[in-house]
Amino acid sequence: GQNIDQPTEMTATEGAIVQINCTYQTSGFNGLFWYQQHAGEAPTFLSYNVLDGLEEKGRFSSFLSRSKGYSYLLLKELQMKDSASYLCAARNNAGNMLTFGGGTRLMVKP
Amino acid sequence: SQTIHQWPATLVQPVGSPLSLECTVEGTSNPNLYWYRQAAGRGLQLLFYSVGIGQISSEVPQNLSASRPQDRQFILSSKKLLLSDSGFYLCAWSLGTGGMTGNTIYFGEGSWLTVV
């Protein structure tokens, strides 16, 4: 099975940087995904890591350490519209399923 | 480009009534299809996934069922709804072939179900 842990809530200020951590324990692992979900809407894909290291996409970056079972999502130059839940998900060995964490609700304040 | 649609967007059903949520994917062939449920303020729980027509795998025991009558159609059903079935139901798809990013899962708009 797979166990995904991430903080329930975080608060940050507009213009700042925030790091959302995710740890996972899996019996098989083949990639780590981050999704953004605004209240009442479906999740949208943000990033994907399968190798150790940092992947950068504009204001968002995602990091993975397979040996530590650890990932983080880094959001720079926070904007009010970044207020949302951020879901960490681990892909299984077969590559056909994602197991999601409970999500981190990020509140960006002026 | 690929698109995914599910309906209805919202529904209110009495306890004991049947349920049918439908999902279709366009622009791809032989996708993997998924049904997830999200209870209020909680994470996504995988209910069913399918790798082909008539092939359904269930992840959790429940009074729901899924069917895939056509390659790009996925249906979630129940004969008798329970109060605990209330939630946000999400259909999703990924490419059937593998590859580094071939299995990114993309979600439909979601269906809000309230059982009263």
Side-chain angles (χ1 to χ4, degrees):
Chain A
Q2 298 186 323
N3 188 44
I4 316 291
D5 290 312
Q6 52 183 131
T8 305
E9 286 187 357
M10 297 183 71
T11 302
T13 304
E14 190 176 16
I17 299 173
V18 70
Q19 177 174 312
I20 302 174
N21 296 324
C22 170
T23 58
Y24 61 90
Q25 295 173 314
T26 62
S27 55
F29 175 81
N30 192 15
L32 195 292
F33 291 76
W34 284 95
Y35 286 80
Q36 180 190 60
Q37 185 178 25
H38 285 100
E41 299 180 8
T44 55
F45 170 72
L46 285 179
S47 69
Y48 165 79
N49 296 69
V50 68
L51 302 175
D52 285 358
L54 189 68
E55 295 282 342
E56 298 186 74
K57 293 173 81 173
R59 294 190 299 116
F60 292 5
S61 303
S62 57
F63 172 83
L64 176 67
S65 169
R66 295 179 68 126
S67 61
K68 296 181 180 178
Y70 167 70
S71 173
Y72 68 72
L73 180 69
L74 191 71
L75 293 78
K76 303 176 185 177
E77 301 171 14
L78 280 173
Q79 302 174 8
M80 297 300 291
K81 67 178 182 179
D82 296 329
S83 292
S85 288
Y86 292 86
L87 310 177
C88 172
R91 187 170 74 178
N92 64 345
N93 263 339
N96 60 355
M97 284 202 296
L98 291 184
T99 300
F100 285 83
T104 299
R105 190 170 70 177
L106 174 66
M107 290 172 281
V108 180
K109 296 185 175 180
Chain B
S1 63
Q2 300 88 357
T3 58
I4 178 171
H5 297 291
Q6 63 176 103
W7 65 93
T10 60
L11 65 167
V12 179
Q13 296 283 102
V15 169
S17 65
L19 171 73
S20 180
L21 299 178
E22 189 165 343
C23 170
T24 59
V25 179
E26 299 295 332
T28 187
S29 297
N30 195 32
N32 293 331
L33 297 173
Y34 309 83
W35 278 110
Y36 282 86
R37 177 171 61 199
Q38 187 174 38
R42 303 188 65 181
L44 290 166
Q45 179 187 37
L46 179 63
L47 301 176
F48 300 95
Y49 73 93
S50 171
V51 298
I53 295 175
Q55 301 178 61
I56 310 294
S57 296
S58 175
E59 289 299 299
V60 293
Q62 59 214 320
N63 70 322
L64 300 171
S65 61
S67 61
R68 185 170 178 173
Q70 300 181 46
D71 181 45
R72 293 169 293 175
Q73 183 185 27
F74 206 24
I75 298 172
L76 182 69
S77 304
S78 174
K79 293 181 179 179
K80 289 185 177 182
L81 284 168
L82 306 173
L83 285 174
S84 58
D85 291 325
S86 294
F88 189 41
Y89 288 81
L90 290 153
C91 182
W93 74 274
S94 66
L95 289 174
T97 55
M100 291 293 284
T101 58
N103 295 113
T104 297
I105 288 182
Y106 299 96
F107 290 90
E109 307 95 328
S111 298
W112 286 97
L113 170 65
T114 303
V115 182
V116 297

